[in-house]
Amino acid sequence: MLNLKDISVTFNEDTPDEKKALQDIDLTLGEGDFVTVIGSNGAGKSTLMNVISGSQRPDIGSVEINQKNVTLLPEFKRSMFIGRVFQDPMAGTAPSMTIEENLAMAYARNKKRKLQKGVTKKRKELFRDYLLTLNLGLEDRLNAKVGLLSGGERQALSLLMATFTEPDILLLDEHTAALDPSRAELITNLTGDIVKRFNLTTLMVTHNMQQALDLGNRLIMMDKGQIILDIDGKKKQELTIEKLLHEFKRIRGEQLDDDRAILG
Amino acid sequence: MFFSMFGAVESGIIFAIMALGVYLSFRILDFPDLTVDGSFVTGAAVAAVCIVNGVSPVIGTLLAAIAGFFAGNITGILNTKGKINPLLSGILMMTALYSINLRIMGGQPNIPLLNESTVFNMFDSFWGQLGIDEALNGLLGSWGVAPLPSTWIVLFATIVIIIFVKLLIDYFLTTEIGLALRATGDNEKMIRSLSANTDSLKIIGLGISNGLVALSGALIAQNDGFVDLKSGIGMIVIGLASVIIGEALFGKKTIVRTTLAVIGGAIIYRIVVTLALRADFLDTGDMKLISAILVVVALVAPKFISTMKDQRRRQRKRTELNNKVKGAS
């Protein structure tokens, strides 16, 4: 489904601030894989997401989606088959437009946009059905401006908008990090449900180790621009936070230094 | 009095087309586009040159709108492909258009259109048969209104045009492309992650905006009977004034309402300016000053009023609480 080959990204090359954000990354995701990505700040998680989504072009290496090389495809074209939810709840929706208009924009993602009505009666019914699955009562507020919703509601809507056209790849970029614990749990549960329902190939970055263990069938750990741990299947189910920290120490010979990652 | 108000409403409606263009760039795309000062004259110049050379006024007016569309496109390309700041892109295009407009006008700083066929007088014989002028003027005359307007066709024609333009914009902004255009001004990162090409949307949006501005310029030239190279100066402020006054007076809850508000704002702006110019100590040279002051008032007044309201509300709550405490003791 997703194939990354020899991806390297270096920022500020040949200056004292040089930073190797990604070093020779190879990563393959099969159809329906749900991979959680952990790692301390600056490990290259976000750069990895940006390389896949197309907002960052790799220095070398190639990105393949569905056996098609998309390395040079600009972000907006790639997003026809990549859904993405950002950390900031404000980033995934248009605040001065209504819920149904936002959904209509997401609905048009994998088609060519035309001069036909974005919100039709038939689509309204469809949107209502999808919103029902969120259990937030948003289906009765189709005409409400999204700017009036709370952060949790907006993030749930962003998640729905990123997924209901069933993209080939779903990218979740710490999408629960800016929410309070109960809202974060709600979104985490929703994520699990939606990914399962549409059988989406998913890559989720998180700082919350427990979340990384609870969700998905595969876990990768990144450090200094490299993938240092890749665990899947039964082994992942047996994983605990202690074991993870131990693994990190064994591989790197040092403590994981990010408090946020440990406590998360 | 009636006569000058009549003229103000007439030209107010034509300027409303320009104001809707400014609304598209300034509000919908969140792009403060100064191309307007140039593209307004481009529209007027293209229409005038066509008419003087015997082209049908209808075709001349359409060509004017298309010329404005291209001017807007270039501003969009400067901003998106050239990565030039929006304000500067507009200023550069406006400056370039000044020379281009002079070229279009064959090097003359103004072109008279008197005794030429225009979109407003080409249907005169048909309009005369309807007898609407006589009926309305007869009615007004019986109320003692004088002097009477020579023809009502301009008013009727502009009302038809503005309704058509408004409905078209309202519809366009609810289409899939229209929604993406609105999102480009609202949350660009988001709509790009939903596979919309925001560069193209901006280029198209600025094209439509300046197409409307040029259309307005073409109609104003035909109504006034001349084109002046400098007639575009300060046009952006007039457009902004219309948008801001309209939104403040008539609200901006939905698109349908806001476009209507902008049209209302453009007409009210004209009426206010006309009234102001009747004062003895002001003359036509003060127009730009009046425009600027109007915009400042329209920007400051709503905030001032809501602060006052809020203060009164709090004052009332305090008195209520005081009364309650007194009543209890």
Side-chain angles (χ1 to χ4, degrees), chain A residues 71-244:
Chain A
T71 318
L72 298 178
L73 212 58
E75 183 188 3
F76 76 89
K77 279 194 184 153
R78 244 188 256 191
S79 53
M80 285 183 84
F81 37 85
I82 298 180
R84 190 169 188 188
V85 184
F86 303 96
Q87 177 176 357
D88 178 4
M90 307 300 142
T93 44
S96 72
M97 298 170 73
T98 63
I99 293 180
E100 59 184 17
E101 285 169 340
N102 270 278
L103 284 164
M105 288 188 283
Y107 189 75
R109 105 154 353 129
N110 51 9
K111 307 163 199 67
K112 189 151 177 57
R113 288 186 167 82
K114 296 196 200 117
L115 279 175
Q116 62 185 32
K117 280 257 181 203
V119 182
T120 58
K121 235 182 190 165
K122 216 169 120 198
R123 287 187 188 175
K124 249 186 205 185
E125 287 305 313
L126 187 75
F127 296 160
R128 212 186 294 270
D129 290 344
Y130 278 119
L131 286 170
L132 264 171
T133 62
L134 295 181
N135 264 327
L136 290 170
L138 294 182
E139 60 278 3
D140 301 322
R141 298 169 67 190
L142 280 175
N143 282 315
K145 294 228 164 109
V146 169
L148 300 172
L149 305 185
S150 71
E153 288 170 333
R154 278 183 79 165
Q155 201 63 331
L157 186 62
S158 306
L159 184 64
L160 185 64
M161 284 166 59
T163 54
F164 80 129
T165 52
E166 302 186 30
D168 292 339
I169 311 278
L170 173 63
L171 300 177
L172 304 169
D173 200 348
E174 294 184 51
H175 68 307
T176 62
L179 304 172
D180 69 57
S182 70
R183 294 287 119 182
E185 198 190 327
L186 175 91
I187 299 295
T188 306
N189 292 338
L190 270 176
T191 307
D193 292 348
I194 287 177
V195 169
K196 206 179 204 175
R197 181 147 53 102
F198 297 127
N199 191 29
L200 298 171
T201 308
T202 306
L203 201 65
M204 179 177 91
V205 168
T206 178
H207 269 296
N208 183 328
M209 287 213 179
Q210 196 56 51
Q211 192 185 36
L213 295 175
D214 292 345
L215 285 172
N217 61 339
R218 183 172 162 196
L219 179 147
I220 60 178
M221 186 189 260
M222 293 186 70
D223 187 53
K224 300 199 173 87
Q226 293 171 314
I227 294 175
I228 57 169
L229 192 66
D230 190 340
I231 299 173
D232 63 356
K234 200 155 179 298
K235 263 177 112 181
K236 173 168 184 289
Q237 287 171 18
E238 291 163 357
L239 216 53
T240 62
I241 292 181
E242 288 75 31
K243 274 189 194 166
L244 261 182

Side-chain angles (χ1 to χ4, degrees), chain A residues 23 195 251:
Chain A
Q23 300 182 49
V195 169
I251 297 165

Side-chain angles (χ1 to χ4, degrees), chain A residues 75-76 79 86 90-97 101-102 105 109 113-118 123 145 161, chain B residues 171-172 174-177 179-180 182-183 186-187 189-198 252-254:
Chain A
E75 183 188 3
F76 76 89
S79 53
F86 303 96
M90 307 300 142
T93 44
S96 72
M97 298 170 73
E101 285 169 340
N102 270 278
M105 288 188 283
R109 105 154 353 129
R113 288 186 167 82
K114 296 196 200 117
L115 279 175
Q116 62 185 32
K117 280 257 181 203
R123 287 187 188 175
K145 294 228 164 109
M161 284 166 59
Chain B
Y171 177 78
F172 173 66
T174 60
T175 62
E176 290 174 343
I177 295 175
L179 289 178
R182 284 161 62 196
D186 203 21
N187 188 346
K189 188 177 172 192
M190 165 257 185
I191 193 66
R192 215 181 306 126
S193 82
L194 293 176
S195 84
N197 185 346
T198 50
K252 47 178 177 179
K253 263 220 165 102
T254 60

